[in-house]
Amino acid sequence: RTHKKLKRLITGIRKEVPGPEKKQAKPLVKRWIKKMLAALGIDTPDDWHTVRLADLVPAARMLVAQECLMRMCEHRDGMKVGDVVGWEEMCMGKAEGRRAVVLRVPEVKDKLRTGQTRGGEMANHKSVTSAAWALRAMMARVHGPGAKAGDLLFPAVAENKVYKHTVGSETKFRKNLRAWAREAGMTRTEANRITTHSMRAGGATDYLSSGVPTSWVQRQGGWLSDCFMIYYRPETAEMGAMARRLQAAEARMLGE
């Protein structure tokens, strides 16, 4: 047990040494995701119910991975419908009364599920960038009332045809992300830095920038050390927003 803890500590220390920015994954924060969704024609929450399926599934997958701070290895196998808590209601487009939707994120080692999971929480509210809202729309349209717990959660889709027994590939997923980013106005250099790890970095950046306790972020992402702080990569816009929030908080304190 001591050896395992020491090994994790050494791994964390190595990860804390950041590489050149050009080699780091471009964090996909909600500010960029909103622009990417708009490029797909998803401007309002209701658009999730009408967007073509070929965009619906990978776009919902992007939001879920971002809010649940998921590694690609954790959803590379497409996950299962039963990984969503209360999946029967979700497949029927319901679950409005829940404060949050919980996803059982599988811990993966050497591309195999270990049987251990963590609970990824997604706030359940009507918003165009809400992962829970997008997931509900996707499950209702793709899986429907006849879904089974063992069905693939993120199947492959071509145009409006769903291949329920085939996983949406990682390569196609990454190509989608980069193409949407370019359509949203991202430079080619930035878009080329988007990887399947960009959602994990973007989610961590959004959470930490909003003032969420670091202990919650660590639990949400399944980190075993403080190395999760290397995923905090705010752009100028996020840093400015954080500065304004700190100034407002300071003003309230002085006013009291």
Side-chain angles (χ1 to χ4, degrees), residues 4-102:
K4 289 183 178 180
K5 289 183 178 179
L6 182 59
K7 186 176 179 180
R8 288 199 298 265
L9 178 61
I10 293 174
T11 301
I13 293 173
R14 287 175 177 172
K15 289 184 177 180
E16 286 174 0
V17 181
E21 182 179 352
K22 64 181 181 180
K23 291 186 178 181
Q24 290 182 338
K26 170 74 175 177
L28 278 183
V29 294
K30 284 293 178 69
R31 183 174 68 87
W32 271 114
I33 287 178
K34 187 174 183 179
K35 293 181 180 180
M36 292 162 68
L37 295 178
L40 295 176
I42 307 175
D43 297 296
T44 69
D46 293 334
D47 290 333
W48 284 103
H49 299 284
T50 57
V51 67
R52 66 177 191 144
L53 293 180
D55 293 327
L56 171 64
V57 174
R61 186 177 187 174
M62 170 181 66
L63 275 173
V64 170
Q66 203 258 7
E67 286 196 19
C68 292
L69 304 178
M70 295 174 69
R71 308 171 181 88
M72 186 63 203
C73 63
E74 292 169 338
H75 58 103
R76 184 174 286 130
D77 65 354
M79 304 191 70
K80 299 294 186 291
V81 168
D83 288 328
V84 182
V85 177
W87 61 271
E88 298 95 335
E89 293 181 352
M90 296 286 283
C91 288
M92 296 177 67
K94 298 181 179 180
E96 290 86 350
R98 298 189 178 190
R99 294 177 54 190
V101 172
V102 178

Side-chain angles (χ1 to χ4, degrees), residues 72 168-177 196:
M72 186 63 203
S169 75
E170 177 180 352
T171 300
K172 182 67 179 296
F173 185 47
R174 184 171 58 249
K175 286 183 177 179
N176 282 335
L177 295 174
T196 50

